[in-house]
Amino acid sequence: ADEGMWLLMLIKRLNGVDMQKEGLHLTPEEIYSVNNSSLKDAIVSFGGFCTGEIVSDKGLIFTNHHCGYGAVAAASTPEKDYLKNGFWAMKQKDEFNAKDLYVRFLVRMDDASQRINAKLNNKMTGEERKAVIDAETKAIQAENSENGKYTVVVKDFFNGNEFYYFVYQDYKDIRLVGAPPSSLGKFGGDTDNWEWPRHTADFTVFRVYADAAGNPAEYSPSNTPLKPKHFLPVSLKGIKPGDFSMILGYPGRTNRYLTSYGIQQMVNKDYPAWVEASKLAMDVMKKYMDKDKATQLNYASQYASVANYWKNRQGTIDAVIKNGTITDKQKTEANFKQWALQPANIEYDGVLDDISIYYKQVSNRNVERNYATQLYRNAKYISLASQVGPVLKSYAEQDMAGRLAMKPKVEAAVKAAYENFNTKLEGEMLNSMVGLYQSRVDKDVASPTIMALDSKNLSNVAYSSIFANKTSVTNFILNPDRLKLDADPLLKIANGVTTDQRLSSEKFSKIDDNFAKNNRIFLAGLMKSMPEKKFYPDANFTMRLTYGTVDKLPIRTDRNYFGVTDNYYTDMTGLVGKYKKGDEEFDLPQRVIDLYNMKDFGQYADAAGFMPVNFLSNNDITGGNSGSPVIDGDGNLIGIAFDGNSEALSGDIVFEQEWQKTINVDVRFVLWTIDKYAGARRLIDELKLVRSENTPA
Ligand code: ARG
């Protein structure tokens, strides 16, 4: 029952009965309701890339440490390094605005499939199809946004066979309340990332603020904590294998209906390219990050994110091979082909062959995209010139009055562009990433602009450009010269790259559109061929529910479990057991060691006496779910989901029944860290704690 990322409004139809059997005591109405407050009102999309949950009647949010990482890094300086040392607002007035963050509440959702599909057919070109969907989307937005009060998003599901719309309310005044030091919040670093057993306090605490009427508002000192429609009580009862657990959150992307042809392209071509290019970018960053503190902070977030996917992609390649994922898919496809031979299913016949031909046609182009993506993501000189260039151009074209009016906007764009910018690092990054692209990408599909560059000398080109650094751009703003801008060597490269990309996507647009159509038809056929099976849509950053139980993994002989024999949890003995003083990944604050030695676990200890740290459940999550609440059968918070295990990284393509687990921080360890380690008792006091007779006093 653990496979599946279900849409909330469908749980009644699909799983109500199943979930009750597994131990859920809530009705579907208590989980998702349009009219009454329900569980969904306590779940937020955090910044559009993670999930968070409301845990108090004052808008307190729990999410992951790695979700708050960018905000905490941005607020840190070498003198006040919150990332390294942690941050705790001991009073409410110490909570400060975390720039650029927002949280999104789901107001309601609805099915728009009939409405949109009525206007579509398979004879349309990709462009025609898009025009219809865009027009319907506009209409749906106009009908539901209440003049901008709500953000309305229409998304397609099941490879474009179905459509749902989502009505959201966004809050923008989000304040940092508490973050553990990285030694706790990222304990184990990249070595332990994607691994179990795990010992990480991967959580951060924020708070939503609203205006006096409880409405969203820009940051203002006069805003007050939001009184939410619902918040999650926190359970101190403890957990054991088999206990019901569900996770609500915003999973980002899965590819569960990817064909064997797609998987072969992925593991043989695309991901190896991704892995190689991101590793090179990491090495360049690391070289400069190790040299000074400011660079370390400026690049911490980018590095962590590149490293996270680097390990994920390599792990996916390994897991797909080890788990025989391709053979499994081939079996399903053989059955499908058989089924499609029946006269009634003739429209599905041949669709898989067309898909297999498609991958041959685009194989090299897809490899190019992987090298290119890492190049643009990491070699910021190019993206910077293409972002700031047009702004400077329109500025330079104004008369005096126009320039004066535009200046604040230009200066803000420049400030943002150079915020985390180390010119030496970026120069080397440009040379390295372009050099790699040139040596790996097939000429037929490569960007001619990039192929023509002298990769050894590129940094010097950048340094001689208007965009070399903040000072050179600032000088240009004081003394704008259109001709000089048009002749700028870096801007020319950036513009050339943009043109090349457009030409390439035009060249492939017909076959890409045709592929999208075949993918849609294939999945429609697959669903039709298995009428008894319950299908769930791929993740697409919409709210989903996954249910299952607390669960364990088989013991591996090559791992140290620090005395735990029932492999569903880890405890503080393991945390302290892994401690390496002064290590980049396995250091710990002395206070943690001291508290452990004194066994000062308070009410957060397990009834069996140990201090729980992380645990496993068999829920079905992926990236984007980070920070999601793990909820028991009564609607109480028992943990915060933060990772998956390397044995099952093929899981975004096929759910691995035996191996695929979610790694969660035990909420009791979260509270222990807040209370015993940080002394921020006031935060514990605003939670609604749920105890059992066994909970230690
Ligand atoms: N692997 C986690 C995810 O993508 C992110 C973990 C962040 N921690 C770390 N040590 N990099 O959900």
Side-chain angles (χ1 to χ4, degrees):
D2 21 353
E3 172 172 1
M5 303 174 172
W6 306 100
L7 275 167
L8 259 55
M9 64 175 278
L10 302 183
I11 50 175
K12 204 185 308 193
R13 204 161 81 206
L14 287 167
N15 304 305
V17 183
D18 255 22
M19 289 169 73
Q20 303 287 341
K21 239 190 331 212
E22 290 213 26
L24 174 69
H25 305 131
L26 304 176
T27 63
E29 196 52 20
E30 287 172 304
I31 297 173
Y32 173 85
S33 166
V34 175
N35 302 313
N36 299 305
S37 73
S38 54
L39 266 194
K40 74 137 170 61
D41 297 315
I43 316 300
V44 294
S45 161
F46 184 83
F49 53 88
C50 274
T51 303
E53 53 276 5
I54 310 286
V55 292
S56 85
D57 62 358
K58 292 191 206 100
L60 201 67
I61 305 171
F62 285 173
T63 185
N64 284 151
H65 180 264
H66 74 266
C67 297
Y69 200 74
V72 176
S76 298
T77 61
E79 296 74 40
K80 255 201 267 165
D81 192 344
Y82 299 145
L83 204 55
K84 176 158 187 284
N85 304 317
F87 169 82
W88 302 97
M90 289 302 172
K91 299 197 181 71
Q92 193 188 306
K93 71 167 182 24
D94 299 334
E95 300 175 358
F96 68 86
N97 183 250
K99 262 196 242 124
D100 300 332
L101 277 180
Y102 70 94
V103 299
R104 164 166 286 187
F105 289 87
L106 174 62
V107 179
R108 63 173 187 275
M109 62 176 291
D110 217 338
D111 192 349
S113 305
Q114 287 201 353
R115 169 176 184 169
I116 297 181
N117 280 328
K119 301 195 167 157
L120 297 173
N121 63 64
N122 280 338
K123 291 199 186 70
M124 288 177 163
T125 65
E127 246 165 77
E128 289 164 346
R129 192 178 158 84
K130 185 172 176 301
V132 170
I133 295 170
D134 286 349
E136 280 308 303
T137 298
K138 279 221 178 81
I140 291 170
Q141 286 170 333
E143 290 157 25
N144 293 283
S145 84
E146 299 187 19
N147 296 316
K149 179 175 178 196
Y150 298 132
T151 305
V152 181
V153 178
V154 180
K155 293 240 177 173
D156 72 274
F157 293 75
F158 295 110
N159 290 357
N161 285 296
E162 295 183 16
F163 299 87
Y164 288 81
Y165 72 84
F166 300 82
V167 179
Y168 296 117
Q169 191 169 30
D170 293 349
Y171 282 79
K172 290 183 222 161
D173 187 352
I174 309 302
R175 303 198 194 169
L176 181 63
V177 174
S182 283
S183 54
L184 282 173
K186 205 183 168 179
F187 184 78
D190 290 325
T191 301
D192 271 11
N193 189 19
W194 301 111
E195 304 295 346
W196 178 264
R198 193 66 160 276
H199 302 82
T200 309
D202 199 337
F203 78 94
T204 307
V205 186
F206 291 87
R207 193 189 301 280
V208 206
Y209 282 68
D211 70 12
N215 291 318
E218 294 295 333
Y219 168 76
S220 157
S222 65
N223 289 344
T224 53
L226 173 75
K227 196 164 173 11
K229 288 200 198 111
H230 184 70
F231 66 89
L232 302 179
V234 177
S235 171
L236 295 179
K237 287 182 179 170
I239 45 165
K240 56 179 190 319
D243 285 355
F244 179 83
S245 71
M246 66 180 167
I247 293 179
L248 279 80
Y250 282 84
R253 293 263 168 256
T254 54
N255 232 327
R256 294 275 165 80
Y257 307 105
L258 190 66
T259 60
S260 61
Y261 316 105
I263 302 175
Q264 281 165 346
Q265 172 70 22
M266 179 188 249
V267 300
N268 297 332
K269 308 273 183 154
D270 296 349
Y271 279 10
W274 184 326
V275 167
E276 184 184 32
S278 52
K279 184 65 170 67
L280 180 62
M282 283 159 62
D283 290 344
V284 175
M285 278 189 268
K286 189 91 173 71
K287 178 173 154 190
Y288 292 88
M289 288 168 78
D290 285 344
K291 279 187 197 161
D292 77 289
K293 198 82 199 274
T295 305
Q296 201 273 321
L297 282 171
N298 285 339
Y299 285 84
S301 192
Q302 183 186 339
Y303 185 89
S305 141
V306 176
N308 185 39
Y309 284 102
W310 164 72
K311 194 166 175 184
N312 174 290
R313 274 23 185 175
Q314 185 56 54
T316 302
I317 297 171
D318 299 341
V320 163
I321 293 167
K322 193 153 169 265
N323 295 337
T325 310
I326 294 172
T327 319
D328 289 348
K329 287 279 182 176
Q330 283 167 337
K331 278 185 205 137
T332 310
E333 288 161 13
N335 290 337
F336 178 86
K337 283 186 179 173
Q338 243 0 80
W339 172 85
L341 287 178
Q342 295 164 29
N345 307 324
I346 200 75
E347 59 180 306
Y348 305 100
D349 186 30
V351 70
L352 278 172
D353 297 326
D354 287 349
I355 288 176
S356 104
I357 292 167
Y358 168 78
Y359 283 108
K360 295 201 181 85
Q361 291 171 315
V362 298
S363 182
N364 287 342
R365 187 278 309 261
N366 288 6
V367 169
E368 189 273 343
R369 283 209 178 160
N370 278 275
Y371 284 108
T373 304
Q374 293 305 318
L375 166 63
Y376 305 135
R377 163 92 171 81
N378 291 293
K380 284 197 267 179
Y381 263 125
I382 295 180
S383 56
L384 190 150
S386 51
Q387 275 159 29
V388 181
V391 183
L392 291 189
K393 191 169 156 95
S394 89
Y395 170 78
E397 281 164 355
Q398 310 282 325
D399 59 17
M400 286 301 265
R403 283 180 188 169
L404 208 62
M406 245 193 106
K407 212 167 164 193
K409 195 182 123 196
V410 180
E411 283 171 346
V414 171
K415 184 165 178 281
Y418 290 94
E419 197 117 63
N420 295 330
F421 203 85
N422 176 319
T423 52
K424 284 230 177 69
L425 184 162
E426 293 299 341
E428 182 167 342
M429 186 70 84
L430 189 58
N431 290 354
S432 306
M433 297 303 280
V434 167
L436 181 68
Y437 181 103
Q438 291 175 334
S439 69
R440 292 290 189 268
V441 174
D442 187 274
K443 262 218 275 337
D444 293 344
V445 292
S447 151
T449 307
I450 296 182
M451 292 315 245
L453 299 172
D454 175 2
S455 71
K456 296 204 175 55
N457 191 43
L458 261 181
S459 52
N460 292 325
V461 173
Y463 298 152
S464 71
S465 147
I466 292 167
F467 302 93
N469 51 52
K470 201 172 160 189
T471 315
S472 59
V473 185
T474 308
N475 287 337
F476 181 87
I477 295 172
L478 294 174
N479 232 325
D481 176 348
R482 252 209 60 187
L483 294 179
K484 198 176 155 215
L485 188 65
D486 286 342
D488 188 85
L490 193 63
L491 186 57
K492 276 189 175 161
I493 295 172
N495 289 339
V497 165
T498 308
T499 307
D500 294 348
Q501 277 183 319
R502 182 172 48 78
L503 292 176
S504 164
S505 70
E506 280 169 15
K507 188 171 135 197
F508 283 95
S509 76
K510 268 226 179 70
I511 58 174
D512 283 338
D513 284 351
N514 197 43
F515 170 66
K517 181 170 96 185
N518 283 328
N519 242 349
R520 192 166 68 238
I521 293 174
F522 166 61
L523 186 49
L526 195 67
M527 291 168 84
K528 204 171 152 195
S529 73
M530 300 184 210
E532 70 299 335
K533 188 176 147 89
K534 288 173 189 164
F535 280 81
Y536 59 90
D538 267 318
N540 61 356
F541 285 105
T542 55
M543 198 193 284
R544 302 297 176 90
L545 179 149
T546 148
Y547 67 97
T549 60
V550 174
D551 199 8
K552 40 185 145 180
L553 274 170
I555 295 266
R556 283 173 56 155
T557 51
D558 59 344
R559 298 272 155 109
N560 186 348
Y561 297 88
F562 296 94
V564 173
T565 51
D566 210 2
N567 192 23
Y568 70 95
Y569 73 97
T570 60
D571 72 356
M572 222 165 149
T573 302
L575 173 73
V576 173
K578 280 179 170 175
Y579 165 58
K580 279 192 219 142
K581 195 176 167 63
D583 186 80
E584 210 180 318
E585 301 186 311
F586 292 94
D587 201 9
L588 280 174
Q590 184 58 42
R591 186 171 165 72
V592 169
I593 316 278
D594 294 344
L595 289 166
Y596 172 75
N597 287 334
M598 293 185 296
K599 300 263 174 294
D600 189 355
F601 307 148
Q603 60 180 338
Y604 311 110
D606 190 86
F610 63 83
M611 184 60 222
V613 175
N614 292 164
F615 72 92
L616 295 173
S617 60
N618 57 20
N619 297 105
D620 186 1
I621 68 160
T622 190
N625 266 121
S626 283
S628 296
V630 191
I631 300 171
D632 69 11
D634 298 309
N636 305 315
L637 185 70
I638 54 175
I640 307 173
F642 74 97
D643 209 0
N645 52 310
S646 64
E647 293 90 347
L649 283 181
S650 44
D652 277 353
I653 308 166
V654 174
F655 187 85
E656 287 295 338
Q657 278 304 334
E658 191 187 353
W659 287 104
Q660 190 157 345
K661 308 295 171 224
T662 297
I663 303 177
N664 313 295
V665 203
D666 193 306
V667 78
R668 294 171 293 172
F669 189 53
V670 172
L671 302 200
W672 179 87
T673 305
I674 293 173
D675 183 354
K676 295 288 178 175
Y677 168 75
R681 182 78 207 191
R682 72 173 185 106
L683 300 177
I684 305 292
D685 292 340
E686 67 176 274
L687 306 174
K688 184 170 161 194
L689 298 180
V690 179
R691 302 163 204 272
S692 72
E693 310 81 70
N694 306 333
T695 306

